Amino acid sequence: MSLTASKKIDTNLMELEISVPAEEFKAAVDRSYRKNAPSITIPGFRKGKAPRHMIEKMYGEGVFFEDAVNELYPSAYEAAAKEAGITPVDRADIEILEVGKDGFSFKATVTVKPEVEVEGYKGIEAEKVEYTVTDEDVDAEIAKLQKRAGTTISVEDRPAQMGDNVVFDFEGFIDGVAFEGGKGEEFPLTLGSNQFIPGFEEQIAGHAIGEDFDVNVSFPENYHVDELKGKPAVFKCKIHQIKAVELPELDDEFAKDVSEFETLEALKADLKSKLQEKKDLEANDELENKLVDAVIAGMKADIPACMYERKIDEMVQDFAYRLQMQGLNLETYMQYTGSTVESFRETFKEQAEHQVKVRLALEKIAELENLTATEEDLEEQFKKAAEVYGMELEKIKELLPADEISKDIAVNKAIDFVRENAVAPKAKKKTTRKSTAKKAKVEEEAAE
């Protein structure tokens, strides 16, 4: 292969002219003959037994050229792009120029990675907020554990309350006429789960088993069924069962039942430690987001639209895969949500554009600061991947492209570089709104 010419024909658009010599082409033509000959029939010869010169005489000298060209041009194009020092970001348009026994030549027109400028990425001023875990935060986690450890009991001596699980019948009417999809029998519902439209579940509370009652609500203006948007409705309801969750006492026995700790205080201390770790990570993420936003603000690049579209493609594929893991598919999901392909893709547009910009900016910083992946870095990433996927290290190395992993490592080093060179004001403490209110109340009482 030889790159015979390369030129920029538009912003981020390059044209390459590439030739493949006779020797390489002849070998590919020979392979094409051996592959296709068994299926070729020539009069006077058994199927697959006709001599090559007879096949070429009957079908033309170039009978195997197309197959040979298709075999060779992808690798020839890839080598030419590398020689030209360009990074394609989209599929190339290929135009065959000449084909003959002396080889072939073709033209590749391709969108390339844009030129990027980044300024001001050193010394960015960004505040890191430190979050402090409060007793209220810990109590909220304890309440979650208490609820999970609760037992469900049947209730017959009182009306339903918020938080109860009820089984009930309902039928909806608009202007006295029942509407499609508004009826259910022996439907299970946790009051307060917000499974139904606003105001519905609160009106079930207060009614007893066997009681007939009405629920009066209005459908939201943004409801997914057009005919029901903003319409007032009356639901005829009847409760068949009420079940409540009986919560365990919060004591040392509770701690033993729900954890490896012997006392409630030890459980609380562990929860507080883990919550603090989580909040510290959140603080780091917030700081990183501020730094990245500042980096993007100092970036200049004419980014081709195809880069955004490819990122959206990746995000849609990832979403479809996660749906598949839940036993669903993307088509059904879009039907359920009333989405079109275009409107669904639009939901990823802003995030996709942000991710593309971040990646380009950090790649440029890595280039400017000569931040690269070492052999030790690569080996560590391969080991982590092997652990995650439960595969042998050598198999992982065969499956995962080292070049792409190296790029990811360099990008991570770039954000570390930006963070290490940032200038942050003195961190301030931040507690939850609840604890701040509590402090204000104490100060008020002290003043009295």
Side-chain angles (χ1 to χ4, degrees), residues 7-24:
K7 62 180 179 180
K8 182 177 181 180
I9 58 175
D10 202 347
T11 304
N12 302 320
L13 197 62
M14 291 291 294
E15 183 181 275
L16 309 179
E17 289 191 13
I18 306 153
S19 64
V20 176
E23 186 177 352
E24 288 182 45

Side-chain angles (χ1 to χ4, degrees), residues 126-141:
E127 180 184 35
K128 179 179 179 180
V129 180
E130 291 184 1
Y131 295 94
T132 301
V133 175
T134 66
D135 290 340
E136 287 86 350
D137 295 329
V138 176
D139 289 343
E141 291 300 307

Side-chain angles (χ1 to χ4, degrees), residues 142-196:
I142 288 290
K144 293 177 185 177
L145 293 175
Q146 185 185 30
K147 186 175 181 180
R148 284 200 291 266
T151 55
T152 302
I153 58 173
S154 294
V155 175
E156 297 181 356
D157 57 352
R158 65 164 175 80
Q161 300 175 356
M162 297 301 290
D164 286 346
N165 299 315
V166 300
V167 175
F168 73 116
D169 297 340
F170 64 89
E171 185 172 12
F173 297 83
I174 294 178
D175 296 331
V177 179
F179 57 89
E180 186 178 354
K183 182 176 182 180
E185 295 182 352
E186 297 190 1
F187 190 91
L189 174 67
T190 300
L191 301 184
S193 64
N194 298 318
Q195 187 176 347
F196 279 55

Side-chain angles (χ1 to χ4, degrees), residues 138-392:
V138 176
D139 289 343
E141 291 300 307
I142 288 290
K144 293 177 185 177
L145 293 175
Q146 185 185 30
K147 186 175 181 180
R148 284 200 291 266
T151 55
T152 302
I153 58 173
S154 294
V155 175
E156 297 181 356
D157 57 352
R158 65 164 175 80
Q161 300 175 356
M162 297 301 290
D164 286 346
N165 299 315
V166 300
V167 175
F168 73 116
D169 297 340
F170 64 89
E171 185 172 12
F173 297 83
I174 294 178
D175 296 331
V177 179
F179 57 89
E180 186 178 354
K183 182 176 182 180
E185 295 182 352
E186 297 190 1
F187 190 91
L189 174 67
T190 300
L191 301 184
S193 64
N194 298 318
Q195 187 176 347
F196 279 55
I197 60 177
F200 190 103
E201 296 171 26
E202 291 81 359
Q203 294 184 54
I204 294 180
H207 295 284
I209 293 174
E211 181 182 349
D212 292 309
F213 60 95
D214 291 347
V215 169
N216 295 277
V217 290
S218 291
F219 284 94
E221 293 293 341
N222 62 346
Y223 196 65
H224 65 275
V225 179
D226 290 338
E227 310 86 76
L228 302 179
K229 288 180 178 179
K231 294 289 184 65
V234 178
F235 286 84
K236 303 289 184 180
C237 302
K238 183 176 184 177
I239 298 175
H240 296 294
Q241 295 179 30
I242 302 174
K243 293 186 178 180
V245 177
E246 194 172 62
L247 302 177
E249 291 292 327
L250 294 179
D251 51 23
D252 291 345
E253 289 303 314
F254 166 77
K256 292 176 185 178
D257 289 339
V258 299
S259 71
E260 70 273 24
F261 298 101
E262 294 293 319
T263 66
L264 184 61
E265 287 306 309
L267 172 59
K268 287 184 175 182
D270 180 69
L271 287 173
K272 187 170 186 177
S273 175
K274 289 177 179 176
L275 284 172
Q276 190 62 57
E277 288 179 9
K278 183 179 179 181
K279 287 183 178 290
D280 290 344
L281 289 174
E282 290 175 359
N284 286 333
D285 288 343
E286 288 179 8
L287 174 61
E288 185 173 301
N289 289 336
K290 292 176 183 177
L291 294 172
V292 165
D293 287 342
V295 168
I296 292 176
M299 179 183 75
K300 294 179 181 178
D302 193 347
I303 303 172
C306 65
M307 293 190 72
Y308 297 140
E309 291 301 315
R310 289 186 67 181
K311 177 55 68 173
I312 292 174
D313 289 342
E314 293 174 10
M315 297 171 81
V316 169
Q317 288 171 7
D318 180 66
F319 189 88
Y321 176 75
R322 286 185 278 118
L323 282 178
Q324 187 179 352
M325 297 296 289
Q326 301 173 37
L328 302 173
N329 61 62
L330 188 56
E331 183 179 353
T332 302
Y333 174 84
M334 287 194 293
Q335 289 177 350
Y336 179 75
T337 57
S339 303
T340 62
V341 173
E342 292 75 17
S343 65
F344 180 69
R345 289 177 62 85
E346 186 70 20
T347 62
F348 295 101
K349 182 178 180 180
E350 184 177 348
Q351 185 182 357
E353 291 183 357
H354 180 76
Q355 289 186 16
V356 169
K357 291 176 182 178
V358 170
R359 180 77 181 199
L360 286 172
L362 293 177
E363 285 179 346
K364 187 62 179 181
I365 292 172
E367 176 190 331
L368 293 172
E369 299 300 331
N370 196 29
L371 304 173
T372 58
T374 64
E375 289 297 327
E376 291 77 12
D377 294 331
L378 268 175
E379 191 69 15
E380 183 180 352
Q381 287 302 113
F382 280 132
K383 286 180 179 178
K384 287 180 179 178
E387 291 176 6
V388 169
Y389 293 106
M391 299 174 65
E392 294 181 1

Side-chain angles (χ1 to χ4, degrees), residues 50-70:
R52 177 171 172 175
H53 72 275
M54 291 297 296
I55 297 174
E56 292 176 339
K57 183 177 180 179
M58 182 168 184
Y59 293 103
E61 182 185 22
V63 62
F64 301 114
F65 284 3
E66 182 178 355
D67 207 24
V69 168
N70 289 335

Side-chain angles (χ1 to χ4, degrees), residues 388-401:
V388 169
Y389 293 106
M391 299 174 65
E392 294 181 1
L393 182 60
E394 294 307 314
K395 187 65 176 176
I396 282 290
K397 289 181 178 181
E398 292 176 10
L399 295 174
L400 300 182

